[in-house]
Every structure is written in C-alpha cells, then in structure tokens.
Amino acid sequence: MTFVTMTVLATVNAPYGTSLSAEQLTSKIVDPASAKYCDASAFAFFSEVCESLQHSFLDEMYVNLTDASVVAQRFSDMAGYELSLARAA
C-alpha cells in the first residue's frame, strides 16, 4: 500500500471507525448513490482529504476524474459549499 492510499484511508476510516479498503472507497467515490444515501466515507474523502491527495488517490486507483467529480458535485450541493473535486464536473 502506498503512502497516498494509507493517508487517504486513515483520514476516511479513523473518524468513523470503519475499515474500508482502497477498492471499497473507490467504488463509493464514483457511485452517485453514495451522495443519495449520504455515505459518510465518501463525503469524508471529498471534504477532509486535501485536493492533491484526492487527485493522487484517483490516479493510483485508475478512477476517472469526471466520474468522481459528479459525485463530489452532488455532495457539494447537499453540503451547501463547494468541494474541490466538484469544480472538475
């Protein structure tokens, strides 16, 4: 596991007492249902992980930026403030 992945997972898992794998988190950050069901782990990725680490994680996990941006935009709309990845949508 890379430093980027470890840092992202620690940031996302620790506050919620979860133990998501990188693959599980990846599926949540590209699934619009994560916003619909207010998934805390996905929201933590978009709101608590710094933008540069978000991009590095997306690159490492081969995630399409546009797919993640759509979900980020949905969370941003619900939160009432702009999340960094929402700008890429």
Side-chain angles (χ1 to χ4, degrees):
M1 189 177 309
T2 68
F3 174 77
V4 168
T5 300
M6 286 189 307
T7 304
V8 168
L9 291 177
T11 302
V12 169
N13 285 325
Y16 303 102
T18 58
S19 58
L20 292 175
S21 69
E23 292 77 15
Q24 289 170 316
L25 178 60
T26 298
S27 69
K28 289 176 178 287
I29 62 176
V30 297
D31 185 356
S34 294
K36 180 178 179 181
Y37 296 110
C38 302
D39 185 278
S41 299
F43 183 67
F45 175 80
F46 293 119
S47 64
E48 297 175 23
V49 174
C50 73
E51 186 174 4
S52 62
L53 275 177
Q54 289 175 353
H55 285 282
S56 295
F57 183 79
L58 295 178
D59 289 344
E60 283 186 12
M61 299 306 293
Y62 304 102
V63 173
N64 181 293
L65 176 60
T66 302
D67 294 341
S69 294
V70 167
V71 179
Q73 183 60 55
R74 290 183 183 191
F75 274 113
S76 187
D77 291 343
M78 290 188 319
Y81 59 91
E82 187 174 67
L83 298 167
S84 58
L85 282 186
R87 291 189 301 257

